Each structure stands twice: as structure tokens, then as C-alpha cells.
């Protein structure tokens, strides 16, 4: 809930997926607030073993533009998701998150 307020104030949008063991997050927005959000995530004692799958500016921003931070609980185990979300580019990453979101329970 805290992140949603920050994200909404600074134009950051995205999606947070959780499979019972691992969180997967896609966030985008203006460069400076996004860098601040990433720094806070990485500095938090609540986060560990962070792996950045993709960093940079997407060709088509706004993949999850209506979600200040959508949260979805997945039914799939973490080991199956890890291989699925290792794409080569932004479009594949967004596609992977969209497929997972379609299979998820909205929370």
C-alpha cells in the first residue's frame, strides 16, 4: 500500500507477481523517480537476492500504465517462473508478465 501511494505521486506504474516464494516486479516511469524507487527497493532490509532482468527505456512505455502497482498471486511454483521470465528484450518481458497476469488470481 505504501508503494502504491509513492508510485501514483511520481508516475511510476507496474506489476508485482508473487508465487508464494518469490516476487517478480515490472516497474516503469520517469527516469528520476524510477531510479529513486529502485534505490529504495535495493536498500530495503525486506528485499534480498534481487536480480534485474532488464534495465532501460522500453520502445513502447506504459505496459501497465493503469496500475500504480498491480499485485497478483500466482499458482505456479517459482522454479517454473524463473525460466519463463528470462527474455531477451522489453517486449518479451512485458509479454511474459502479461501471460502470467492472465493466469493469476487478482488480489
Amino acid at each position: 500500500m505504501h508503494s502504491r501511494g509513492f508510485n501514483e505521486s511520481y508516475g511510476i506504474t507496474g506489476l508485482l507477481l508473487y508465487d508464494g516464494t518469490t516476487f517478480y516486479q515490472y516497474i516503469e516511469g520517469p527516469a528520476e523517480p524510477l531510479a529513486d524507487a529502485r534505490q529504495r527497493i535495493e536498500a530495503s532490509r525486506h528485499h534480498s537476492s534481487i536480480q534485474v532482468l532488464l534495465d532501460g527505456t522500453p520502445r513502447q512505455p506504459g505496459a501497465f500504465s493503469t496500475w500504480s502497482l498491480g499485485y497478483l498471486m500466482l499458482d505456479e511454483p517459482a522454479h517454473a517462473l524463473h525460466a519463463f521470465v528470462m527474455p531477451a528484450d522489453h517486449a518479451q518481458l512485458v509479454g511474459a508478465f502479461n501471460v502470467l497476469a492472465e493466469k493469476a488470481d487478482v488480489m
Side-chain angles (χ1 to χ4, degrees):
M1 297 309 284
H2 175 74
S3 295
R4 284 181 175 160
F6 175 88
N7 292 352
E8 190 172 342
S9 297
Y10 291 95
I12 295 174
T13 60
L15 172 67
L16 182 66
L17 305 174
Y18 181 60
D19 67 4
T21 304
T22 304
F23 286 94
Y24 301 85
Q25 185 173 29
Y26 176 90
I27 57 175
E28 64 183 6
E32 193 171 314
L34 191 57
D36 182 45
R38 182 171 169 180
Q39 183 178 19
R40 288 185 306 109
I41 290 168
E42 291 173 346
S44 171
R45 64 179 175 81
H46 299 289
H47 300 91
S48 63
S49 302
I50 295 172
Q51 180 181 8
V52 176
L53 301 177
L54 185 65
D55 190 7
T57 305
R59 280 184 235 124
Q60 293 183 293
F64 301 99
S65 61
T66 60
W67 296 12
S68 62
L69 186 59
Y71 176 73
L72 301 168
M73 180 68 155
L74 302 171
D75 297 327
E76 299 182 37
H79 67 275
L81 290 173
H82 185 61
F84 186 67
V85 294
M86 294 301 293
D89 65 24
H90 181 263
Q92 288 178 320
L93 181 63
V94 169
F97 268 84
N98 277 319
V99 168
L100 292 172
E102 289 172 6
K103 295 178 180 181
D105 299 321
V106 177
M107 301 291 284

